[in-house]
């Protein structure tokens, strides 16, 4: 099958899309949104974000409409865009979940460090200091 034959179904719509024709975009969306959404849901195990990713796919298509170059088929092109959107989404999730390395270097506020402790005979547990007339029971003999 030649490239021309593969593009024949969507090529008139793609030409109109490149010119900014909104109805051509709507038709492309109507033709491809169902299979694209199904694929996204399968890849993300039915994640609630599937609709957002679908929207991002078609938003990218609209924004880059003048520079679209298709070498095989529009289906391959759109699913490449889908893969990129899924990868971007997963990367963003990973970035949100993974704390930055600076969080491990800085100690949490209000936690005394062992080297800066001013108390020599007391231990603090949950912000409370034992009474001065009772021995400190920290599990460490003094």
């Amino acid at each position: 099958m030649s490239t021309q034959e593969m593009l024949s179904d969507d090529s008139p719509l793609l030409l109109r899309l490149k010119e900014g024709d909104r109805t051509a975009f709507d038709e492309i969306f109507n033709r491809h949104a169902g299979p694209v959404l199904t694929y996204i849901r399968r890849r993300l195990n039915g994640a609630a974000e599937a609709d957002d990713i679908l929207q991002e796919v078609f938003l990218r298509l609209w924004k880059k409409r003048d520079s679209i170059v298709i070498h095989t088929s529009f289906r391959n092109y759109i699913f490449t865009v889908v893969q990129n959107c899924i990868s971007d989404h997963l990367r963003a999730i990973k970035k949100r979940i993974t704390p930055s390395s600076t969080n491990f270097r800085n100690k949490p506020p209000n936690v005394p460090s062992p080297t800066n402790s001013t108390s020599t005979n007391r231990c603090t547990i949950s912000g409370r200091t034992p009474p001065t007339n009772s021995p400190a029971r920290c599990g460490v003999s003094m």
Side-chain angles (χ1 to χ4, degrees):
M1 181 180 281
S2 72
T3 304
Q4 188 63 26
E5 290 169 336
M6 285 190 263
L7 294 176
S8 64
D9 286 348
D10 289 322
S11 56
L13 287 173
L14 292 172
L15 291 173
R16 289 177 34 215
L17 175 66
K18 284 185 171 197
E19 296 169 355
D21 185 343
R22 178 61 194 239
T23 58
F25 175 79
D26 291 343
E27 181 61 30
I28 290 170
F29 180 85
N30 291 334
R31 286 185 187 184
H32 297 280
V36 166
L37 185 59
T38 300
Y39 178 77
I40 295 168
R41 285 183 178 152
R42 283 187 186 148
R43 282 291 315 270
L44 299 178
N45 296 322
E49 299 90 5
D51 290 331
D52 294 337
I53 294 171
L54 177 71
Q55 184 176 4
E56 179 63 27
V57 167
F58 283 94
L59 181 63
R60 287 183 187 184
L61 180 66
W62 179 255
K63 285 181 176 179
K64 297 182 179 192
R65 66 187 177 274
D66 3 351
S67 61
I68 294 174
V69 177
I70 299 173
H71 298 285
T72 56
S73 71
F74 180 72
R75 184 180 184 280
N76 288 349
Y77 179 85
I78 195 79
F79 277 94
T80 300
V81 175
V82 170
Q83 279 302 122
N84 292 336
C85 287
I86 289 172
S87 296
D88 292 348
H89 172 75
L90 294 175
R91 198 175 304 112
I93 288 175
K94 186 177 180 181
K95 192 180 260 189
R96 278 182 277 171
I97 291 174
T98 307
S100 67
S101 59
T102 59
N103 290 341
F104 293 115
R105 289 186 209 137
N106 301 329
K107 67 176 186 159
N110 301 325
V111 176
S113 73
T115 57
N116 295 338
S117 178
T118 56
S119 172
T120 56
N121 293 328
R122 297 184 197 159
C123 68
T124 1
I125 301 172
S126 302
R128 292 186 290 175
T129 305
T132 54
N133 58 354
S134 70
R137 303 200 188 269
C138 299
V140 177
S141 60
M142 295 190 192

